[in-house]
Structure formats: C-alpha cells, structure tokens
Amino acid sequence: MNTNILYTSDVGIGITELRANLAHWIGRAASGDEVVITDRGRAVARLVPAEPVDRWAELIESGVILRPDEVTRSHRSDDFPIAHEPTGVSLADELEAMRDEDR
C-alpha cells in the first residue's frame, strides 16, 4: 500500500460534517472544489466535480476500440487465423486426456 499519497485540496471535512451538510458539500464539488473526506483525521475519499465524458466515444475517436458495426464491416472472420484445426475430438475428451497425462 502506498502511504505517500499527496492530497491537494482547499477543503477537507469529516464524515459527520459531510452527513450534516451533504447538499452544501455536493454544491462545492459541483462548483469545482475537491473535497477530501476524512475519518478520524485520515483521508478516506474524495468528492470531485463530475466530468461529463462519454468514455466510449473517447475510445472510439482515439482508435483504441471500434464500433461494433465497423468491426463487422472491416473484419471478416477469415482474417483471423484458427489456432488449431478441428480434430473431431471433443473438448471434454481432450481435457480428460491432458489431466490423465499430468497424473
């Protein structure tokens, strides 16, 4: 566990204070403040502004992932190699044989 975590915030509050004035602290976070929530003086959580980010859209735009309709259009099943040719042996039989070899 990393004990050298640096929390930078203008606002640090205890759990009791958070419970008593939840709407206020949510408002502070919504306005851009980072609120560090403490339990007996130890930071346990952060209340931060929500970022309206569509993570899927970001990944698609950056090219990390493709939309499902793009995958089916641009990739044919014969583009991917088959690891092993079918042998006619069931998977269960193959696993049993492998287990017997290990015994």
Side-chain angles (χ1 to χ4, degrees):
M1 184 170 129
N2 185 358
T3 58
N4 298 323
I5 298 173
L6 175 64
Y7 292 96
T8 57
S9 175
D10 297 332
V11 183
I13 61 163
I15 292 175
T16 303
E17 168 64 18
L18 177 66
R19 284 184 184 154
N21 298 299
L22 184 58
H24 168 77
W25 294 111
I26 289 176
R28 291 282 300 263
S31 69
D33 289 334
E34 178 181 305
V35 180
V36 176
I37 302 160
T38 61
D39 184 13
R40 295 175 184 87
R42 186 176 61 94
V44 294
R46 290 182 303 139
L47 186 60
V48 297
E51 296 179 20
V53 174
D54 183 354
R55 187 69 177 134
W56 290 110
E58 276 185 359
L59 292 171
I60 290 169
E61 286 177 24
S62 66
V64 173
I65 62 173
L66 296 174
R67 295 173 46 90
D69 57 336
E70 293 173 354
V71 171
T72 56
R73 272 198 311 252
S74 64
H75 296 89
R76 298 184 327 240
S77 63
D78 57 347
D79 290 339
F80 301 102
I82 296 175
H84 298 285
E85 292 295 324
T87 62
V89 177
S90 74
L91 178 59
D93 291 340
E94 187 66 31
L95 286 172
E96 186 176 348
M98 290 171 67
R99 289 179 182 142
D100 288 342
E101 289 174 7
D102 288 340
R103 292 182 193 163

